[in-house]
Amino acid sequence: MRRLSSLAWRSLGARSARSFLTIAGVALGVAVLFASLSAGSTMDAAVDRAAADEMGRAVLRVQALEERGFSSAAVHAAEQAVGVSVAAPALERQTYLAVSPSQTASAKLPAPVTVLGIDPVREIALHDMPLASGRLLTATDGQSALISETMASQERLGVGDSISLNGTVAAGPQPFRIVGIVQGDAPVPDAGGRLIFVPLASAQTLFGTTGVTRVDLGVQAGTSVNSLTNQLERTINSEPYLLSRQADLAGSLRTEMADFRSALLLVAAVVLFAGAFLIFNTLSMTVSERAREVGLLRAAGTTRSQVMSFVLLQALLLGVAGSVLGVLGGVCLAGLSLSWVQSAGPIALAAPAISAASIGIAIVVGLLVTLAAALEPAWRASRIPPVEALRRGPAAGVAGPARLRWLFLIFGVLGVAALAIWPGSSGGAVGTGGVAAGGSAMWGPLAVYGLFFLAVLLVPLLLGPLLRVAGIPFRVFRNEERLARSSLARDPSRTALTAGALVVGLAMVVALGTAAENVPKIGTAWLAETIPGSEVLTSIRPVSTTDPIRAELAAMPGVRSVSPIGLFGVPYQGVRQEAAAIVGRDYLADGRLVFVSDGGDRTAALTALDAGGSVVLPESLADQGGIHVGDELTFATGPSSARLRVAGIVAHSIPAGSQEAILIGWSDATDLFGVAGADFYAVRYASGQESSSRAALDAAAIQYAFEPSSLDRVQGAVGDALDRIFRLLDALALIAVLVAGLGLANTYSMSVLERVREIGVLRATGMSSRQVWGMVVVEAGLLGVFGAIVGAVVGLIAGALLVAWSSGGFGLAFEPPWVSIAVAVVFGVLVSIAASIYPAGLASRFSIVRALQHE
Amino acid sequence: MGSDGTILEARNLTKSYRLGNREVEALRGVSLRVRRGEFVALMGPSGSGKSTLLQLLGGLDRPTSGEVVLDGQVISRLGDAQATRLRREKTGFVFQFFNLIPLLDVYENVALPFTIAGVDPRHGDAAARIHAVLALVDLLGRERNRPDQLSAGEQQRVALARALVSRPAILLADEPTGNLDYASGGEILDELWRSCDELGQTIVLVTHDARAAAHADRVLVVGDGKIRDEIELGRRADRRAGPLIARLAQLGL
Ligand SMILES: Nc1ncnc2c1ncn2[C@@H]1O[C@H](COP(=O)(O)OP(=O)(O)OP(=O)(O)O)[C@@H](O)[C@H]1O
Ligand SMILES: [Mg+2]
């Protein structure tokens, strides 16, 4: 047929409302996909920019693992390496602006500042410092400082003002004069924009050290980074360090956002899945409505493949229109999403990136899904025999399994597409140890996706029994309910397909709700299992183990123990492994730290930690390395590496970064790993004394510049960011429900049009138009309740899976997300009923006479 | 009801349909009376307006002008709610095709008027009445069958049972035998006649077929939107078509 395309156009135009709904469904799916891709590339761009800002023109960053930093010998060794053009050392420390006496009474600590001691000449050779005002530091500067623009505006400071920085107790607060203001946030991700540059020597005096925390290296043209790396490994052999390139920095930043990105993709896949249902349903309807027409075409000599391409062409038109609209909508959606989330991990997010690649991917995926969904109806149309032209009445339905076959196809297409565009796993091997970090981000969502698929396949089986249950709320309308239920059961596979999209959308909402409800609890439970106390006092600077503050705090009334914990990195098998210095004795008193069955003797292990020469490993790390109790681990601490015996293995250890820390006794931590002191104190109160003693302890802690917070508050800060992300994902999942709603509207209209005669008979028998209306609406309500029941159950299972994935096997009392379930049920039923309002009105307004004449 | 026992009266009915910008006059002034318990057949060529007339008599549609009075009530200007009540309580319909709800079994289809009215059809008077009409159409024992498990004739008997079960003031049938073979059609006609003869059911039957019309007490011949002739046959045991065909031939039909 020459004019196949014009026939396809007209066929879509003949049912313009239906075509419009379908395009809207595809567009929503593509929009969410595009938004998710665009959010992903925005994050990538932000990460790359942050990494580039941080590294400047430096090719390699040599970072000291020990808190006291590199000695001048190590800096010298880096400087002398062949091929190095510039070596810029720096000392990074956090501190507070010295508060004036009038401010000390305040019950809250001010935000800390990050001080970067630099060599003014060398630093500028590798890092641009665009000035907003004033001048740069020079080699002759002493107590001079550059501050970031952000900090200047927050603290209302300007060039020429003086600031006073807290240093070591010995050094006391020291004054600095601001000579210049650097544009923007200044490039240290964790500083939150509050950055102060001072000359290196002044910083070293302020913090009472001779070390530097990093040396950035610029290289001469033609120098191979690999050979330089090898060289440094030979020459800097007395102190543990970490080498990173720009890509490694970006990679480690990126892993922090991987979960968010894969969750976004999962939601996009779910919305597209719902969109695919819509396309499939629309085309199926068109095909069965036009069976007679197709029969006529066939009788007139149209070939099967012509019929098939006719249907596929219609799909293509829908797909193109939907995808293009979807990309447009996606741009807005991405902007909204990013401004809602604001930041992911340590990186602030800017305007959405609109790359040709993400536009291309979104459109291609949109079209692929459309075509995949269209294949089955197209194939079915091509099988319509010419005799269909002679048949009276609507075409006979096709059996269930045949219809469900297409699901496999779409599932596969979406799965493959998801794998193809999965955010690349983290870049460098150096820099991250990688304990169960990368892989789980992908498999969790994939498993959930698979579960949803299974659920849709099960829907036809559940339909009969569950519809009875779903009918209970509608028993008031007895006849309507009865008729509606049997009408839904008439074509289980179509009902299943319609309900399937609803089920998946609602399941997503409930799954996200489950995760949102339970993931923060895991964090709290984790801390509760591994921190010896109910409150932590955090310090931005390491507090020496000999500092009298600890004893003073421990002596306060109601306080039972104050246990110092220091977090640090250890070089193990060429990568940085997180470690925590703890007092084993403090854990003996209560049941914290759960030793696994072959994890050694608790008392012996904890005592051994304090004695030195031992470590306690988290199970995840022990499993990964095949390490058992009694094994010896070697840490490359310097020329003579340290060997420590594994005294025990615990189910969970103190969380640090994205890992679990190796537990090490304080004597080893200070002697072998150069740990300067505790990062926080864990406070345990005498039983029943917490409420009465806490206020006094907190006040005292703040005096010493400790930030007091209860364990759930520690989690709370992370939780707030997480909460925003979950709510965004929830909103996107509701879009899936909306798309399902469009499918429902299509199906209800179709089913009403199929039943014109039947409705005529019912009306002639005495059914009022109100009752007809009610019948259609109750049918929708039934399907909504059905979808909500199945969706809630599937969503709970999926949520439990997601939670289990991130819980590290915590046996938590699982809390069902009642709010999300309520939202899903109400939204599901409402969407379903809303979708039926128009078809119900249509059905109730049929003229009886016309309806009876209808064939 | 008129003093002469009239249960249904049409006064000067007209009905025109609009087809695009063309008017089709389906009825051009029809008046008729049907007495309680009477069996009236409407005959006439295709397109003469029989179905249109039947729809107006049963209140399924409104006339363009004129009036229909059923059981003392003017039904030709009713609102939707009143019309629905009328259909529930006073009229029963049987059509040529597709009378049954395919999802419901025989019992449920017959019980539909009760179900729709919110009366439980499993108990009491309703159940007794359903049993009685199922017995009348000889379908006892087939209650649980679905329509697609029945022959066309059996399906039509179910439709008849449903139309009779609410004991309507008037039963309106539009070519109920049009889709059936000779024997099944005969059964339906016999049952219609018995419901009239034994239960006193008033019936208006539209048909093409002289054999069907021969069961009636009176035959009205419709042509071109008007009643052309009236043939009084009277109630009789011998319902062969011969005499009617002869009369129709006399009238040149
Ligand atoms: N809904 C309608 N719209 C327009 N014209 C109609 C409609 N219904 C009936 N007509 C026209 O009214 C006239 C009478 O139709 P009607 O169905 O009453 O005839 P009938 O005698 O029942 O014919 P048949 O024996 O073929 O059933 C016909 O010309 C028909 O085309
Ligand atoms: Mg007719």
Side-chain angles (χ1 to χ4, degrees), chain A residues 401-600:
Chain A
R403 278 196 179 174
L404 290 176
R405 236 188 339 229
W406 74 280
L407 263 178
F408 287 97
L409 197 68
I410 294 182
F411 182 76
V413 167
L414 276 174
V416 168
L419 283 179
I421 57 184
W422 209 269
S425 43
S426 67
V430 201
T432 49
V435 180
S440 67
M442 183 166 96
W443 292 112
L446 268 192
V448 169
Y449 183 57
L451 179 73
F452 287 174
F453 176 59
L454 254 178
V456 173
L457 287 182
L458 283 179
V459 163
L461 301 179
L462 300 172
L463 211 55
L466 271 185
L467 276 182
R468 282 178 186 279
V469 180
I472 291 169
F474 299 99
R475 280 291 151 82
V476 218
F477 318 98
R478 216 179 47 217
N479 317 306
E480 288 89 337
E481 189 262 337
R482 175 80 182 76
L483 284 167
R485 190 145 48 85
S486 41
S487 136
L488 285 174
R490 169 198 328 233
D491 186 345
S493 76
R494 186 167 78 202
T495 309
L497 286 176
T498 313
L502 188 65
V503 164
V504 168
L506 295 177
M508 192 70 227
V509 172
V510 173
L512 287 170
T514 311
E517 180 98 355
N518 291 282
V519 166
K521 287 204 188 117
I522 292 168
T524 311
W526 198 301
L527 291 175
E529 186 178 315
T530 55
I531 303 292
S534 55
E535 183 180 1
V536 294
L537 307 176
T538 316
S539 167
I540 53 166
R541 288 177 284 144
V543 194
S544 156
T545 40
T546 57
D547 199 307
I549 294 173
R550 180 184 163 205
E552 198 177 308
L553 293 174
M556 291 187 67
V559 176
R560 214 168 87 199
S561 71
V562 174
S563 186
I565 293 173
L567 299 177
F568 57 103
V570 294
Y572 175 65
Q573 294 188 343
V575 297
R576 177 192 164 102
Q577 180 64 49
E578 300 299 330
I582 61 166
V583 179
R585 199 175 341 110
D586 289 342
Y587 282 87
L588 280 177
D590 54 20
R592 302 193 184 201
L593 288 184
V594 176
F595 282 71
V596 298
S597 58
D598 52 354

Side-chain angles (χ1 to χ4, degrees), chain A residues 799-827:
Chain A
L801 263 179
L802 283 177
V803 171
W805 235 281
S806 44
S807 75
F810 259 98
L812 285 178
F814 185 77
E815 186 82 14
W818 294 118
V819 176
S820 298
I821 292 178
V823 167
V825 169
V826 170
F827 199 70

Side-chain angles (χ1 to χ4, degrees), chain A residues 392 478-479 482-483 486-490 755 757-771 847-850 852-853, chain B residues 17-18 55 60-61 80 84 87-88 91 93 95 97-104 108 112-121 162:
Chain A
R392 263 195 103 91
R478 216 179 47 217
N479 317 306
R482 175 80 182 76
L483 284 167
S486 41
S487 136
L488 285 174
R490 169 198 328 233
R755 281 185 291 168
R757 278 296 303 238
E758 200 176 311
I759 290 167
V761 170
L762 287 170
R763 294 275 280 127
T765 313
M767 193 175 247
S768 66
S769 54
R770 276 267 278 280
Q771 280 177 310
S847 135
I848 305 178
V849 173
R850 296 269 183 121
L852 291 170
Q853 284 170 345
Chain B
Y17 291 108
R18 190 164 278 288
Q55 283 154 5
L60 287 184
D61 205 356
D80 182 65
T84 299
R87 290 195 282 273
R88 259 182 217 175
T91 64
F93 284 95
F95 308 103
F97 297 110
F98 198 90
N99 275 296
L100 305 181
I101 307 298
L103 295 165
L104 304 181
E108 289 167 325
L112 208 54
F114 294 116
T115 315
I116 287 173
V119 174
D120 184 353
R162 186 192 57 211

Side-chain angles (χ1 to χ4, degrees), chain A residues 613-710:
Chain A
S614 297
V615 295
V616 168
L617 289 188
E619 192 180 13
S620 56
L621 190 64
D623 284 353
Q624 201 188 23
I627 304 165
H628 302 284
V629 173
D631 291 356
E632 228 167 43
L633 304 185
T634 307
F635 298 96
T637 46
S640 58
S641 49
R643 300 165 71 81
L644 298 175
R645 205 181 64 86
V646 177
I649 296 172
V650 288
H652 305 102
S653 161
I654 295 170
S658 56
Q659 304 177 354
E660 293 181 73
I662 297 177
L663 302 176
I664 296 177
W666 268 108
S667 57
D668 289 335
T670 44
D671 298 351
L672 300 175
F673 299 101
V675 176
D679 294 296
F680 60 90
Y681 288 146
V683 180
R684 189 178 317 131
Y685 292 93
S687 64
Q689 306 267 313
E690 174 156 4
S691 50
S692 53
S693 318
R694 198 168 156 173
L697 181 100
D698 287 359
I702 288 172
Q703 288 294 312
Y704 293 119
F706 282 92
E707 174 100 85
S709 43
S710 55

Side-chain angles (χ1 to χ4, degrees), chain A residues 850 853, chain B residues 17 19 24 26 45-52 175 208:
Chain A
R850 296 269 183 121
Q853 284 170 345
Chain B
Y17 291 108
L19 266 185
V24 179
S46 193
S48 55
K50 304 183 295 292
S51 297
T52 304
E175 304 197 37
H208 270 116

